[in-house]
Amino acid sequence: MQKILGYMRKAIQEFDLIQDGDKIAVGVSGGKDSLALLLGLIGLRKFIGIDYGLTAVTLDPMFGGVEGDYSAVARLCEENGIEYILERTRIGEIVFDIRREEHPCSLCARMRRGALHDAAKKAGCNKVALGHHYNDAVETFMMNLFIEGRIGCFSPKSYLSRKDLWLIRPLVFAPESAIKSAIRRNNIEVVKSVCPADGVTKREEMKEFLRQREYEDKGFTDRLFGAMRRAGINGWGYRNANASGIEGDEE
């Protein structure tokens, strides 16, 4: 996990993500990214010099009306003395059974965000940490460009005025390959996704496109990420050019 801790420490310092006294709700789906985020935030508390609290929050979509098994996440939190909140929801039923969305990811994401923000407020947290990583940022930038015809990406840090919450993404400098390696090397048990749309989304198409471009032109992804930072879009600017790294309300 040392590499992951390094990436996270850099992001926290670069974008001023965490301060003394913060209580952070960590969104934990049980996948590799959210588990790396949780373990990283647990590990960083030992040496980063910032006093903050952590609460792990899992939202079970209950796809097909079946409760998900998050016992591995519960054990991990218990072993590390972290408060764990598991909320069962009707998100899966609403998206796939009632609404029968042709493109379910957008509605599902909105519902999960709302439920996570509500759970964070109920737990007395002032920040929500999400597990988006370096590759997620580049993929989102490219999807916005090619699918929506606009230049933009999620922000490393943003304020939700209606909820009085900060969203932070401490993994934004960590490549997906490093996260996979850290989870594998540390034998962390991952909760497998049972989402009906898993693996057949527009994001998966963009992942494959970027993998192919990187294979044909090494450094392609790094150059895209560098362009995002040099342009300073949505709070991605370098610290000396954009000290706040904040771009409005994402609700």
Side-chain angles (χ1 to χ4, degrees):
M1 286 291 295
Q2 289 304 311
K3 283 188 177 181
I4 299 301
L5 294 180
Y7 288 124
M8 291 179 67
R9 183 174 188 171
K10 179 182 177 183
I12 289 168
Q13 294 173 341
E14 181 81 9
F15 299 115
D16 193 25
L17 300 184
I18 303 176
Q19 290 80 38
D20 282 332
D22 282 343
K23 185 174 181 183
I24 305 169
V26 186
V28 183
S29 67
K32 67 182 188 329
D33 304 333
S34 62
L35 291 174
L37 172 67
L38 178 61
L39 288 170
L41 288 171
I42 290 170
L44 282 172
R45 287 200 299 187
K46 300 173 184 177
F47 65 86
I48 199 172
I50 306 173
D51 181 20
Y52 58 89
L54 296 171
T55 296
V57 180
T58 296
L59 303 172
D60 181 6
M62 291 185 58
F63 295 116
V66 179
E67 292 187 358
D69 180 6
Y70 297 95
S71 56
V73 180
R75 285 194 299 273
L76 184 65
C77 290
E78 185 177 4
E79 290 167 3
N80 288 278
I82 301 297
E83 178 186 13
Y84 181 52
I85 298 171
L86 170 59
E87 291 202 0
R88 309 288 184 182
T89 75
R90 296 180 60 217
I91 292 175
E93 178 189 4
I94 293 169
V95 173
F96 290 98
D97 302 328
I98 298 175
R99 294 281 297 268
R100 297 187 180 184
E101 292 285 313
E102 183 179 355
H103 303 290
C105 295
S106 179
L107 176 60
C108 184
R110 288 199 304 273
M111 294 184 69
R112 284 188 290 109
R113 281 198 301 268
L116 179 58
H117 300 163
D118 289 343
K121 291 296 291 184
K122 186 177 179 180
C125 298
N126 66 310
K127 289 184 177 175
V128 174
L130 302 175
H132 297 110
H133 50 65
Y134 167 91
N135 297 86
D136 286 329
V138 176
E139 290 158 14
T140 300
F141 172 75
M142 291 292 281
M143 289 171 69
N144 285 336
L145 182 62
F146 283 102
I147 298 174
E148 298 185 14
R150 65 182 180 90
I151 295 175
C153 186
F154 55 72
S155 302
K157 168 183 172 181
S158 54
Y159 181 61
L160 307 180
S161 58
R162 284 176 287 177
K163 293 289 187 181
D164 189 26
L165 281 172
W166 286 93
L167 288 188
I168 60 172
R169 294 176 168 95
L171 279 177
V172 288
F173 288 141
E176 186 173 20
S177 58
I179 293 172
K180 287 180 178 178
S181 177
I183 293 297
R184 183 176 63 252
R185 288 175 180 272
N186 288 276
N187 296 314
I188 305 301
E189 186 176 349
V190 173
V191 179
K192 183 173 175 54
S193 172
V194 294
C195 172
D198 193 41
V200 292
T201 64
K202 290 293 183 183
R203 183 168 293 274
E204 284 300 320
E205 292 179 12
M206 183 55 69
K207 279 181 180 289
E208 182 54 38
F209 170 79
L210 288 170
R211 276 194 292 265
Q212 186 62 31
R213 289 297 298 132
E214 186 67 30
Y215 174 77
E216 296 172 356
D217 183 7
K218 189 170 178 58
F220 181 80
T221 307
D222 286 343
R223 291 194 294 275
L224 284 174
F225 190 76
M228 288 170 53
R229 298 221 63 195
R230 287 188 293 275
I233 60 169
N234 299 109
W236 282 97
Y238 291 97
R239 190 174 179 87
N240 59 356
N242 180 359
S244 69
I246 305 172
E247 282 291 328
D249 196 322
E250 289 193 4
E251 278 193 291

